[in-house]
Amino acid sequence: MDQPGIDPGEHALALAGLRRINAVSRCSASLFAPIRELAARHRGAPLRVLDLACGGGDTAIDLALMARRSAIPLILEGCDISPGAVAIARANAERRGAEARFFRADALADPLPSGPDGAAPGGYDVVLTSLFLHHLDDHDAEMLLALMGRRARQLVLVNDLIRSPLGYGLAWAGTRLLSRSWIVHTDGPRSVQGAFQLAEVAAMAERAGLQGATLQRCWPERYLLSWSRG
């Protein structure tokens, strides 16, 4: 799915499959819980949230809708290096009636380019990413964590896969049950093979300057990394 020049129709079908997989995995709910706790401490002040490498925008859209149902003021934005993914994310937000903005940017760039309508992308209270870290090698993954720490005023969140035999089996079966995309069927198991184990993520976070970051297991064979400034 990361290859340049991917057929737009195949890309859209793959992102739709990922949307179903993420819905079953409830990854958005695991990300929303710490954001809701942070919002409670802000006593009604809006939080600005950035989803890095957002793909089809499902996580950011889910968070925007959860926040609206919970009457929590969030400003949701997402960025992705793929113009096609950004276009799909914008269409998904409109279709689902979510207030979320999307723009093209490289998550590994420092600093990020301007956001939508020329708005400066800095000043995010929460910077998160979901199912992106496993696409990177050790060096780039550590660099991403360090960049997220510098960009986030308060909270960094990472939801991703755990490399394990159970995770591989779940990915192989789940991608075939929930998607018709051959890309998803291929990328799902390969993603688990390329993912990190919890000890590796903890060590990378420490080297990236995210001292005190916590890691917790989530269904199905995923983890949530959470780091708060101060």
Side-chain angles (χ1 to χ4, degrees), residues 5-191:
I6 187 173
D7 178 78
E10 294 284 3
H11 195 192
L13 183 64
L15 290 175
L18 287 180
R19 186 179 311 125
R20 288 189 290 272
I21 291 168
N22 287 333
V24 172
S25 301
R26 292 182 54 78
C27 68
S28 299
S30 69
L31 289 164
F32 185 62
I35 294 174
R36 180 172 53 199
E37 292 176 5
L38 179 62
R41 296 196 295 272
H42 271 238
R43 302 179 183 275
L47 297 176
R48 194 172 179 210
V49 181
L50 175 65
D51 180 11
L52 293 174
C54 65
D58 302 305
T59 298
I61 293 168
D62 287 345
L63 293 174
L65 295 176
M66 290 177 184
R68 187 167 68 191
R69 288 194 295 267
S70 301
I72 294 174
L74 296 186
I75 301 170
L76 264 298
E77 296 178 11
C79 68
D80 199 279
I81 197 170
S82 165
V86 171
I88 291 171
R90 289 171 177 168
N92 285 338
E94 183 176 359
R95 176 178 57 82
R96 298 178 63 187
E99 293 185 13
R101 301 188 296 175
F102 298 96
F103 60 99
R104 184 185 179 278
D106 183 349
L108 293 172
D110 187 11
L112 287 170
S114 296
D117 305 322
Y124 293 103
D125 297 290
V126 183
V127 177
L128 64 90
T129 190
S130 179
L131 297 182
F132 178 54
L133 201 70
H134 69 264
H135 289 280
L136 307 176
D137 60 25
D138 291 23
H139 174 267
D140 284 350
E142 186 176 325
M143 183 172 72
L144 177 69
L145 293 173
L147 287 171
M148 292 177 74
R150 291 201 290 271
R151 291 165 178 160
R153 289 192 297 212
Q154 301 191 61
L155 184 62
V156 169
L157 298 171
V158 178
N159 181 284
D160 217 304
L161 306 167
I162 297 173
R163 188 176 77 247
S164 70
L166 175 59
Y168 183 89
L170 289 170
W172 190 94
T175 55
R176 283 155 177 79
L177 285 171
L178 297 170
S179 175
R180 295 183 290 108
S181 168
W182 66 268
I183 297 175
V184 174
H185 296 170
T186 303
D187 277 10
R190 284 185 180 177
S191 292

